[in-house]
Amino acid sequence: LNLLKAGHEVRAFDRDPAAARRVEAAGGTAAADLTAAVDGVEAVVTMLPAGAQVRAVYGDGIVPAVARDTLLIDCSTIDVDSARAVAELAAGRGLAMVDAPVSGGVGGAAAGTLTFMVGGPEAALGRARPLLAAMGERIVPTGGAGSGQAAKICNNLILGISMTAVAEAFTLADKLGLERQKLFDVAAVSSGQCWSLTTYCPVPGPVPSSPANRDYEPGFTAEMMLKDLHLALAAGQPRGVVSPLGAVAAQIYQLLHNQGLGKKDFSVIIQMLEGMHAGAR
């Protein structure tokens, strides 16, 4: 939608026809299938659930179908190995490609304030930059193919751990009789300060724009956080990287998912912690 607002012609395809119709309603074109979506375009932008889908869509659909001068931009969050494999496949046909996962959630996508972490050749990044600028505020070059994915999963490893810590602190504060706003006022200007606290506070009140004030309507779902934590742990394991806090955070988000809260915003983790304390009384 933001590409349309910037004056680009957009042809959209999604397995859910309603998603493509929303683009059509805004002035774009809904394509009947993947081949029709990429036929004759200058650039392809994809966002898919996992590495297996990215490999399949590019290997079986996009790379064989597009013209040689087409720019490929994959905004999925996937494993680094899949990103590099698809980039190699594209390069083998002479196609320019970048991996450009995003940070900012649904709200950032709608507002055009996303951050793009972009891996790939400089020439491809140069071509991609105007399109990414129409959809986001920050474009951060990270290096070669797959490095955008590496940056994303490392960032979200920090995020998953820090949100768990912030939620634990507010739960403890409640038990100690400390007002939530008072804890926020102290931690926001002290050594406990972090994005999970000051921008995305998991309790209602201190940060009016956080999902906690909207019944944890997702900007970034708990199941997506679980996926990214698994990606980080899987990337580290064969490389000898030990991540004990990441492993514990993944276990906690798995419990959250098992309780049926996976579609809620990932900051809903505090509700599970509160429930665990209530059950322990």
Side-chain angles (χ1 to χ4, degrees), residues 164-180 183 270 273-274 277:
T164 304
V166 171
E168 286 186 0
F170 274 105
T171 303
L172 176 60
D174 287 345
K175 297 300 180 183
L176 295 174
L178 176 64
E179 292 181 19
R180 290 172 168 182
L183 171 59
I270 193 167
L273 293 174
E274 290 170 341
H277 283 280

Side-chain angles (χ1 to χ4, degrees), residues 92-105:
R93 193 164 176 264
L95 294 166
M97 183 171 190
V98 296
D99 53 285
V102 305
S103 179

